[in-house]
Amino acid sequence: MENFKFSYTLFLFCFLTFELCNRGELRKNFYRTSCPHAEQIVQNITWKNAASNAALPAKLLRMHFHDCFVRGCDDSILIDSTTNNTAEKDAVPNRSLAGFEVIDEIKTQLEQTCPGKVSCADIVALAARDSVSFQLDMSMWEVLTGRRDGIVSRDSEAVAEIPSPFSNFTTLKQSFASKNLTVKDLVVLSGAHTIGMGHCNLFSNRLYNFTGKGDADPSLDAAYAATLRSQCRSLSDNTTTVEMDPGSSLVFDNRYFWTLLQGQGLFQSDAALLTNNIANGIANEMLIFGKFLTEFSQSMKRMATLGVLTGKAGEIRKKCSVVN
Ligand code: HEM
Ligand SMILES: *[C@@H]1O[C@H](CO)[C@@H](O)[C@H](O)[C@H]1NC(C)=O
Ligand SMILES: *[C@@H]1O[C@H](CO)[C@@H](O)[C@H](O)[C@H]1NC(C)=O
Ligand SMILES: *[C@@H]1O[C@H](CO)[C@@H](O)[C@H](O)[C@H]1NC(C)=O
Ligand SMILES: *[C@@H]1O[C@H](CO)[C@@H](O)[C@H](O)[C@H]1NC(C)=O
Ligand SMILES: *[C@@H]1O[C@H](CO)[C@@H](O)[C@H](O)[C@H]1NC(C)=O
Ligand SMILES: *[C@@H]1O[C@H](CO)[C@@H](O)[C@H](O)[C@H]1NC(C)=O
Ligand SMILES: *[C@@H]1O[C@H](CO)[C@@H](O)[C@H](O)[C@H]1NC(C)=O
């Protein structure tokens, strides 16, 4: 009996510690000993690419967001579809996702330097931060590391989890709440739309046929709507793209909030932020650039920990586009 008790306690202890070891956590410079130059390699290759492609920060920032919102930040976004599975990459909200080749270039270098050590999920998180930081020449938010790569990627999940640009405030709030993100995170992170491009058909209902009577969205600034109509010539134009923050779409500033508050947010999901008093108040606070930078870095840090796999969960993918 005593013997049984002892073995049982031992078993419980091992089980518990195994669980603890297994769970692990993200931490600063996770690769300090296993791949000391990992973060510098990511930054060097990202900056080299950002220097020749000013659109890259928007691509990598959006990739990071889409990755984290579906199955957590586990790099499921990079997995290619197979004959039996349509992956997130090929879901409708993926349109215009890009920058995959930069992640591949980084991964190839890291596999040469320290094979099997650095996850694709960490590369995406680091490269997003580094690409946005390139212009301001500083590290804009802290990225903890130690993520592991997932082995599942489904288009249906991307369709369900990625918020639509036609969403109202209630839907956006719920979407973020389901990721443990607050209304403040929602408003602050929407400030990412200060860089990048949007396709006409994702907002042209606001220009041409908002309520089915050939009308425009009354909440959209009339002069801005006219400018947009000159760029997006029809309701069904799904090829033309426009700057989300006109004249400043390559610069990570806080102009998004200035234009948003003038009724010039591009998507209904942008305009929706003004329909709630609390969100509207936060948008106003973001007019101070320093405040926006501080809040953005905190919200990004939260988003970057969503549903991460750590410890022994998942795997370290050899190639980011295929599970091992
Ligand atoms: C709040 C809910 C959000 C909605 C409904 C939304 C929707 C969209 C849509 C429809 C586009 C245009 C895609 C295209 O036409 O190709 C876009 C672009 C973009 N989004 Fe969001 N987004 C949201 C939140 C975020 C967040 C949280 C981030 C990052 C932190 C982000 C970063 C970006 C970036 C950087 C682009 C530009 C991509 C490019 O230039 O290719 N978005 N978003
Ligand atoms: C990164 O780039 C810097 C400057 O070009 C260079 O001095 C450094 O050796 C590079 N580091 C790595 C790890 O590639
Ligand atoms: C697809 O499914 C079939 C039948 O279940 C299986 O034989 C095949 O190996 C699968 N292919 C891949 C690439 O997983
Ligand atoms: C996104 O999905 C479409 C199919 O819906 C596919 O044709 C396209 O190549 C995908 N884009 C990327 C970047 O994978
Ligand atoms: C917001 O959109 C959802 C989904 O389309 C809808 O069910 C809901 O009634 C809308 N809420 C408001 C306040 O318009
Ligand atoms: C949100 O928090 C709850 C409670 O702490 C946790 O169970 C859940 O997994 C979290 N969701 C995400 C997406 O991180
Ligand atoms: C505008 O919407 C209405 C109602 O959905 C539809 O009958 C009409 O054909 C649309 N007009 C255009 C130009 O698409
Ligand atoms: C754009 O619209 C055309 C015509 O409606 C359609 O055939 C095509 O698949 C659409 N392309 C995308 C990327 O949605």
Side-chain angles (χ1 to χ4, degrees):
M1 188 61 196
E2 278 305 303
N3 227 348
F4 170 77
K5 252 193 197 154
F6 178 73
S7 343
Y8 183 70
T9 314
L10 191 68
F11 169 77
L12 248 186
F13 177 77
C14 293
F15 179 74
L16 284 175
T17 42
F18 179 73
E19 272 299 283
L20 284 174
C21 298
N22 231 1
R23 210 177 290 152
E25 262 184 13
L26 297 185
R27 55 176 192 264
K28 257 190 207 176
N29 208 354
F30 179 84
Y31 302 106
R32 185 179 285 128
T33 49
S34 61
C35 189
H37 299 299
E39 296 196 10
Q40 193 58 54
I41 290 171
V42 175
Q43 193 197 64
N44 278 11
I45 298 179
T46 305
W47 282 19
K48 183 193 75 182
N49 281 279
S52 63
N53 176 8
L56 185 66
K59 304 296 176 198
L60 294 183
L61 185 56
R62 184 162 180 249
M63 182 192 294
H64 184 30
F65 162 54
H66 280 217
D67 183 29
C68 292
F69 262 58
V70 188
R71 287 192 168 265
C73 318
D74 66 344
D75 196 39
S76 49
I77 189 82
L78 271 106
I79 298 175
D80 283 340
S81 293
T82 58
T83 41
N84 291 345
N85 180 54
T86 309
E88 286 167 32
K89 239 187 198 176
D90 292 316
V92 173
N94 84 351
R95 346 175 5 77
S96 74
L97 278 178
F100 298 111
E101 69 292 344
V102 176
I103 305 299
D104 288 341
E105 182 184 344
I106 295 168
K107 180 64 174 171
T108 303
Q109 179 61 56
L110 285 172
E111 283 301 300
Q112 274 166 25
T113 313
C114 16
K117 295 294 182 207
V118 184
S119 70
C120 298
D122 276 342
I123 296 175
V124 170
L126 289 165
R129 190 266 314 272
D130 292 342
S131 64
V132 175
S133 303
F134 173 69
Q135 252 173 13
L136 294 173
D137 196 17
M138 63 184 216
S139 202
M140 289 180 56
W141 61 90
E142 183 179 58
V143 175
L144 303 178
T145 43
R147 291 171 193 74
R148 292 175 56 93
D149 298 323
I151 53 174
V152 177
S153 177
R154 291 193 215 294
D155 66 333
S156 56
E157 291 181 344
V159 173
E161 304 288 330
I162 301 295
S164 142
F166 302 102
S167 310
N168 58 30
F169 180 77
T170 316
T171 307
L172 291 171
K173 183 181 167 179
Q174 277 165 1
S175 162
F176 274 61
S178 74
K179 310 291 174 193
N180 293 341
L181 295 173
T182 64
V183 166
K184 190 174 199 178
D185 293 319
L186 165 63
V187 177
V188 168
L189 291 176
S190 292
H193 289 175
T194 194
I195 52 173
M197 309 291 290
H199 281 79
C200 287
N201 60 319
L202 301 178
F203 57 85
S204 50
N205 65 319
R206 306 184 75 200
L207 311 178
Y208 291 110
N209 207 5
F210 192 61
T211 63
K213 294 177 192 148
D215 52 344
D217 181 346
S219 76
L220 184 63
D221 176 76
Y224 184 48
T227 307
L228 290 173
R229 274 192 294 271
S230 72
Q231 295 171 286
C232 303
R233 292 314 189 92
S234 79
L235 254 179
S236 57
D237 179 348
N238 62 4
T239 50
T240 308
T241 56
V242 307
E243 294 175 283
M244 294 197 292
D245 180 11
S248 155
S249 70
L250 295 173
V251 183
F252 196 92
D253 50 21
N254 65 340
R255 253 199 48 162
Y256 168 84
F257 293 103
W258 289 93
T259 51
L260 178 68
L261 287 160
Q262 287 162 20
Q264 299 181 2
L266 190 61
F267 300 121
Q268 276 170 260
S269 56
D270 296 310
L273 301 176
L274 303 184
T275 64
N276 172 271
N277 280 340
I278 294 169
N280 193 312
I282 298 168
N284 272 281
E285 288 174 31
M286 295 306 114
L287 297 177
I288 299 167
F289 187 50
K291 175 92 176 136
F292 171 56
L293 285 188
T294 307
E295 294 294 342
F296 192 76
S297 79
Q298 288 171 9
S299 291
M300 282 304 294
K301 239 183 116 171
R302 270 196 288 281
M303 188 184 89
T305 64
L306 274 178
V308 290
L309 303 172
T310 53
K312 294 194 167 67
E315 62 181 19
I316 302 293
R317 232 174 272 155
K318 292 194 174 71
K319 196 169 171 237
C320 293
S321 55
V322 264
V323 297
N324 293 346

